[in-house]
């Protein structure tokens, strides 16, 4: 950025001071203006923007101290530098306490003047950069992955925005594939911690001994193979959030450690003695019946209460079927970009199949189904035939009527598809013998597609 | 257009011939040197024991010593100041006709160091080119090697070259109608 983009206002009742500084800053390439008193300065600040104001502390009428306050009222981002004589350094100190950036004593050392201005400009540049980076992060952390307009998901959005602004521990509950991690990330992204990391820990995927080291880190030589000191997830999440997925899987021993960290916000690395303090927000998720685990003594009650401060229940997809078209289109667009495949719509018949299916694997299953359809299908649309086999056969055939015979036909087809047309297994599940099943297949003209 | 360097006091230690060559090389203009008798008494500040460079510029502009179609720079050894600053090495009328450069603070002896006349010559040359640059409308340059880089210490002056960077040369061409080509 050129100096010309920065404006400096010189406020001094002495003409020679105004002229000298005007010329000095002009030669440095700044946009400069001068004012001989407070009233003129305030007028000029209202009609143009300045980045720095050099204000003489002693002026007739409103003095520099009072002017500074008024200038800041008009433009908070304005940096004020007080010009003072040696005799009034006390006043300059008062000005600093009132928010002035610095003060210079008359006559000003040219080098000091250059340094002050350069420092202010550099600080302003950093501030601008910082704002730009924050905006970029905000952009990157827009959570368009949580899709839907159903009343159930709207309630979830409300809960996320309510709890995000606090530091409360959150427990996210829901079936597998309902998007618990996305909700955790959304909470983090909308919190004041968003410029720090969110560290996910999948408690179900790591064995107990490793999990301890993963969480708290270890010192060199803490165990065989620990050749270096290593930071744990808690340390990595300092300032940000830590997300425990499958918290219900944590062993009883680790539950004690976790409880201690959550209460004291400090821990020691495995094999270490140094106490490490961390500032971490905890978000947990589980698909287990954690209350039952508490009752059975498998999950500590005190840890349960510590974690279960604010709970968000994620509805299974079958309970918010109205969101399925939007979700399916969302995944179609996403995979279309990833695969660079120009698929732009989902055939109404295919959408009907998607909406009618119960999605036991929830959104994850839906995403997989759409991804598969994108792989096997031909642009520009996803057709019913492109959807996974079981979806079409179970949902693709609508009962022609509500007659027992029609429902029987659909049910037999569903079981046959479910067991990959294994006649013996299907007959066993249907509780009929194989011959009867063959007869039914012939009668209903069922075919293995 | 030509440039006149007006030797106003204690310039004898300097090689003015070489100075003219260097200035000519920087601006590609005719440069001449002549001794000028001027009374700076009225610009002296008895409290500061320094001379007000802004007032000296006014003196020069009103002296009739600047010829038509020329720019003039006073070369002196007076300790210069502008009222708000503790000192200046020189001053110029931005995009104007008059400038002043002082060797007072360019001497090594001023900083308690051994005399170094070649260094004084180089520093003075750079200061003269710098101030003249302002009279051609050039402002301070970010390039620390460029003679138009702002210098508040002699060490800054020593770092830069006695010539304009490409960017300042380009600006000068734009400002002065391709005169350098």
């Amino acid at each position: 950025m050129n100096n010309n983009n920065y404006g400096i206002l010189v406020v001094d009742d002495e003409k020679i001071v105004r002229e000298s500084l005007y010329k000095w800053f002009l030669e440095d390439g700044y946009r400069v203006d001068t004012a001989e008193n407070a009233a003129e300065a305030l007028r000029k600040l209202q009609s143009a923007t300045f980045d720095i104001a050099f204000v003489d502390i002693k002026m007739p009428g409103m003095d520099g101290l009072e002017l500074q306050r008024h200038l800041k009222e008009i433009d908070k981002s304005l940096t004020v530098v007080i010009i003072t004589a040696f005799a009034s350094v006390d006043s300059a100190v008062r000005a600093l306490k009132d928010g002035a950036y610095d003060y210079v004593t008359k006559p000003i050392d040219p080098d000091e003047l250059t340094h002050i201005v350069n420092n202010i400009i550099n600080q302003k540049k950093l501030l601008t950069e910082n704002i730009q980076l924050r905006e970029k992060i905000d952009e990157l952390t827009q959570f368009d992955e949580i899709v839907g307009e159903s009343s159930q998901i709207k309630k979830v959005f409300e809960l996320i925005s309510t709890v995000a602004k606090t530091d409360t521990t959150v427990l996210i509950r829901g079936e597998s594939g309902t998007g618990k991690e996305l909700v955790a990330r959304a909470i983090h992204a909308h919190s004041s911690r968003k410029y720090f990391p969110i560290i996910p820990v999948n408690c179900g995927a790591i064995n107990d001994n490793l999990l301890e080291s993963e969480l708290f880190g270890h010192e060199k030589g803490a165990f065989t193979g620990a050749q270096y000191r290593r930071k744990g997830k808690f340390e990595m999440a300092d300032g940000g959030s830590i997300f425990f997925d499958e918290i219900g899987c944590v062993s009883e021993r680790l539950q004690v450690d976790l409880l201690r960290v959550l209460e004291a916000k400090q821990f020691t690395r495995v094999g270490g003695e140094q106490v490490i303090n961390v500032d971490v927000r905890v978000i947990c998720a589980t698909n287990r019946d954690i209350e039952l685990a508490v009752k059975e003594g498998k999950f500590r009650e005190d840890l349960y209460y510590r974690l279960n401060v604010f709970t968000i229940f994620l509805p299974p997809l079958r309970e918010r079927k109205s969101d399925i078209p939007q979700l399916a289109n969302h995944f179609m667009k996403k995979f279309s970009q990833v695969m660079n495949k120009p698929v732009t719509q989902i055939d109404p018949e295919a959408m009907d199949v998607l909406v009618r299916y119960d999605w036991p694997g929830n959104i994850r299953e839906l995403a997989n189904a759409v991804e598969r359809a994108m792989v096997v299908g031909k642009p520009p649309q996803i057709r019913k035939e492109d959807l996974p086999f079981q979806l079409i056969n179970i949902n693709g055939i609508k009962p022609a009527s509500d007659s027992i015979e029609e429902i029987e036909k659909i049910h037999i087809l569903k079981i046959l598809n479910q067991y990959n047309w294994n006649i013996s297994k299907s007959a066993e599940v249907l509780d009929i013998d194989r011959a009867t099943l063959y007869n039914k297949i012939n009668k209903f003209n069922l075919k293995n597609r | 257009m030509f440039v006149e360097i007006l030797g106003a006091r204690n310039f004898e230690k300097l090689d003015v011939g070489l100075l003219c060559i260097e200035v000519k090389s920087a601006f590609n203009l005719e440069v001449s040197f002549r001794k000028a008798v001027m009374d700076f008494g009225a610009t002296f500040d008895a409290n500061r024991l320094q001379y007000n460079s802004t007032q000296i510029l006014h003196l020069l502009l009103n002296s009739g010593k600047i010829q038509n179609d020329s720019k003039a720079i006073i070369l002196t050894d007076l300790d210069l100041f502008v009222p708000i600053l503790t000192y200046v090495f020189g001053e110029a009328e931005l995009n104007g006709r008059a400038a002043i450069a002082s060797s007072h603070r360019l001497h090594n002896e001023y900083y308690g160091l051994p005399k170094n006349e070649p260094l004084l010559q180089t520093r003075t040359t750079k200061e003269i080119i710098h101030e003249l640059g302002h009279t051609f409308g050039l402002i301070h340059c970010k390039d620390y090697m460029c003679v138009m880089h702002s210098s508040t210490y002699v060490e800054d002056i020593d770092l830069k070259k006695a010539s304009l960077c490409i960017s300042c040369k380009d600006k000068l061409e734009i400002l002065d109608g391709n005169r350098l080509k």
Side-chain angles (χ1 to χ4, degrees):
Chain A
M1 199 184 243
N2 289 326
N3 283 353
N4 189 253
N5 295 324
Y6 294 100
I8 299 178
L9 179 66
V10 178
V11 192
D12 201 304
D13 56 324
E14 282 183 75
K15 189 180 177 207
I16 190 70
V17 172
R18 291 198 304 274
E19 284 179 353
S20 303
L21 286 178
Y22 178 86
K23 195 172 171 191
W24 180 267
F25 292 131
L26 202 64
E27 285 179 0
D28 267 339
Y30 295 107
R31 182 168 46 81
V32 205
D33 204 348
T34 61
E36 67 174 315
N37 53 45
E40 193 183 359
L42 291 169
R43 216 169 34 246
K44 292 207 167 173
L45 191 65
Q46 270 160 341
S47 56
T49 53
F50 295 95
D51 298 283
I52 309 170
F54 278 85
V55 177
D56 185 25
I57 201 157
K58 216 171 177 185
M59 288 186 293
M62 192 190 293
D63 69 5
L65 286 176
E66 202 182 338
L67 174 61
Q68 177 192 211
R69 283 192 285 273
H70 286 286
L71 290 173
K72 286 276 191 182
E73 277 169 20
I74 298 171
D75 184 356
K76 274 185 189 159
S77 65
L78 181 75
T79 305
V80 178
V81 179
I82 295 291
I83 307 171
T84 178
F86 275 115
S88 55
V89 167
D90 283 352
S91 318
V93 171
R94 274 210 310 280
L96 291 187
K97 285 181 180 168
D98 268 2
Y101 176 84
D102 207 342
Y103 70 90
V104 285
T105 48
K106 290 181 192 177
I108 310 164
D109 182 87
D111 195 57
E112 190 189 354
L113 186 60
T114 306
H115 267 103
I116 286 178
V117 174
N118 284 348
N119 285 344
I120 294 171
I121 298 296
N122 285 339
Q123 217 171 62
K124 284 189 182 283
K125 278 181 187 165
L126 283 174
L127 199 68
T128 311
E129 262 179 44
N130 192 280
I131 290 167
Q132 285 168 346
L133 285 171
R134 278 169 185 260
E135 279 170 359
K136 207 164 256 180
I137 289 173
D138 288 345
E139 241 172 63
L140 291 171
T141 51
Q142 290 295 314
F143 269 76
D144 57 354
E145 289 283 310
I146 305 174
V147 174
E149 284 176 359
S150 62
S151 58
Q152 294 95 322
I153 205 68
K154 276 184 182 165
K155 178 75 186 160
V156 171
F157 288 144
E158 270 174 37
L159 293 172
I160 290 172
S161 56
T162 305
V163 79
K165 295 174 189 80
T166 69
D167 253 354
T168 307
T169 303
V170 184
L171 180 61
I172 306 162
R173 310 188 62 167
E175 290 178 11
S176 182
T178 46
K180 295 187 286 297
E181 182 163 351
L182 288 182
V183 170
R185 288 186 181 277
I187 292 169
H188 176 78
H190 290 96
S191 73
S192 57
R193 296 172 174 273
K194 63 183 165 186
Y195 304 113
F196 293 89
I198 175 168
I199 304 290
V201 183
N202 190 341
C203 305
I206 312 168
N207 85 35
D208 203 28
N209 288 334
L210 278 178
L211 188 57
E212 197 181 4
S213 157
E214 280 283 314
L215 290 182
F216 308 118
H218 61 251
E219 294 293 341
K220 183 180 175 183
F223 48 83
T224 312
Q227 292 179 337
Y228 304 100
R229 188 165 82 171
R230 184 170 179 251
K231 275 188 180 180
K233 304 268 190 191
F234 268 108
E235 267 183 274
M236 285 155 69
D238 194 18
S241 309
I242 191 161
F243 171 57
F244 291 106
D245 202 2
E246 308 291 352
I247 190 71
C249 297
V250 174
S251 74
E252 285 176 45
R253 186 166 65 97
L254 212 56
Q255 286 177 31
V256 178
D257 289 341
L258 267 180
L259 185 65
R260 202 175 54 240
V261 179
L262 294 180
E263 281 177 348
K265 301 268 181 196
Q266 56 179 216
F267 59 90
T268 53
R269 296 193 190 101
V270 176
E273 286 176 2
Q274 186 198 342
V275 175
I276 294 156
N277 292 292
V278 284
D279 169 28
V280 170
R281 191 230 189 113
V282 176
I283 306 172
C284 302
T286 185
N287 60 2
R288 291 193 175 187
D289 185 346
I290 208 159
E291 286 79 10
L292 183 67
V294 171
K295 263 185 201 165
E296 289 173 351
K298 290 177 185 164
F299 201 88
R300 289 182 68 99
E301 197 173 2
D302 41 10
L303 180 60
Y304 168 72
Y305 287 122
R306 171 66 63 177
L307 298 177
N308 193 23
V309 182
F310 189 95
T311 305
I312 298 177
F313 286 96
L314 291 187
L317 191 52
R318 65 182 171 278
E319 286 177 17
R320 53 178 188 118
K321 288 203 165 197
S322 61
D323 287 334
I324 291 175
Q326 201 183 340
L327 276 162
N329 279 313
H330 163 76
F331 290 123
M332 178 192 69
K333 281 179 197 154
K334 182 180 161 184
F335 295 125
S336 168
Q337 277 183 347
V338 174
M339 297 175 191
N340 197 21
K341 217 169 172 181
V343 178
T344 53
Q345 55 179 316
I346 300 171
D347 175 57
E349 223 182 337
M351 187 64 90
D352 187 51
V353 171
L354 293 176
V355 173
R356 284 158 51 80
Y357 184 57
D358 268 351
W359 300 107
N362 290 297
I363 300 166
R364 189 181 295 129
E365 189 184 1
L366 172 63
N368 291 345
V370 175
E371 187 178 7
R372 180 197 180 276
M374 302 272 295
V375 172
V376 299
K378 283 180 191 160
Q381 62 175 6
I382 292 174
R383 291 158 302 150
K384 193 177 86 174
E385 295 75 27
D386 304 329
L387 294 170
F389 187 71
Q390 73 271 20
L391 263 68
I392 302 166
N393 287 321
I394 292 167
N395 298 299
I397 305 164
K398 293 180 186 174
S401 68
D402 286 337
S403 67
I404 294 288
E405 200 167 74
E406 185 63 20
I407 289 166
E408 184 187 14
K409 175 183 150 188
I410 298 296
H411 183 65
I412 291 170
L413 182 59
K414 178 183 163 186
I415 298 299
L416 283 167
N417 284 331
Q418 198 169 329
Y419 294 97
N420 209 16
W421 280 72
N422 181 327
I423 301 297
S424 301
K425 185 68 188 167
S426 299
E428 187 189 327
V429 171
L430 291 165
D431 200 19
I432 52 177
D433 58 41
R434 296 174 75 246
T436 308
L437 181 53
Y438 274 119
N439 288 335
K440 300 270 183 195
I441 289 168
N442 288 330
K443 180 184 167 189
F444 297 131
N445 195 22
L446 299 177
K447 289 195 171 70
N448 184 1
R449 294 167 66 180
Chain B
M1 170 68 70
F2 63 99
V3 169
E4 269 201 311
I5 301 171
L6 308 176
R9 218 183 78 147
N10 287 343
F11 52 83
E12 291 78 9
K13 287 175 191 166
L14 297 165
D15 181 342
V16 290
L18 182 62
L19 188 62
C20 290
I21 292 168
E22 297 254 28
V23 175
K24 184 182 175 179
S25 161
F27 295 105
N28 199 18
L29 279 175
E30 282 309 313
V31 180
S32 61
F33 180 90
R34 72 182 159 97
K35 194 173 172 181
V37 180
M38 293 180 82
D39 180 8
F40 298 128
T43 68
F44 183 68
D45 185 315
N47 290 323
R48 298 179 60 150
L49 303 176
Q50 287 176 306
Y51 290 82
N52 186 322
S53 64
T54 311
Q55 288 177 0
I56 295 177
L57 282 188
H58 288 141
L59 267 183
L60 174 61
L61 283 164
N62 297 325
S63 68
K65 289 184 191 296
I66 307 176
Q67 298 182 50
N68 285 341
D69 201 27
S70 77
K71 292 183 191 289
I73 182 163
I74 293 172
L75 171 58
T76 182
D77 72 338
L78 300 172
D79 190 9
L80 303 177
F81 77 99
V82 294
I84 190 63
L85 300 176
T86 50
Y87 68 91
V88 288
F89 293 127
E91 192 182 344
E93 222 194 343
L94 190 65
N95 214 4
R97 301 179 66 201
I100 180 168
S102 168
S103 61
H104 185 85
R105 290 173 187 253
L106 303 181
H107 289 272
N108 253 4
E109 301 94 293
Y110 184 84
Y111 304 98
L113 296 167
K115 186 188 270 189
N116 187 334
E117 287 186 352
L119 189 59
L120 174 67
Q121 174 83 26
T122 311
R123 286 173 179 170
T124 309
T125 306
K126 289 174 185 175
E127 185 49 30
I128 285 192
I129 296 172
H130 180 95
E131 297 305 339
L132 279 170
H134 285 316
T135 66
F136 284 108
L138 292 178
I139 58 169
H140 288 153
C141 179
K142 296 275 178 204
D143 181 354
Y144 73 95
M145 299 282 274
C146 173
V147 76
M148 290 312 295
H149 187 69
S150 171
S151 309
T152 48
Y153 283 134
V154 277
E155 289 83 354
D156 295 332
I157 298 176
D158 292 342
L159 269 178
K160 60 191 184 186
K161 291 181 179 173
S163 57
L164 300 167
C165 68
I166 291 172
S167 163
C168 285
K169 270 186 185 166
D170 285 348
K171 282 181 201 154
L172 198 61
E173 283 176 14
I174 295 162
L175 291 168
D176 210 29
N178 294 330
R179 181 183 46 75
L180 288 179
K181 281 187 176 171

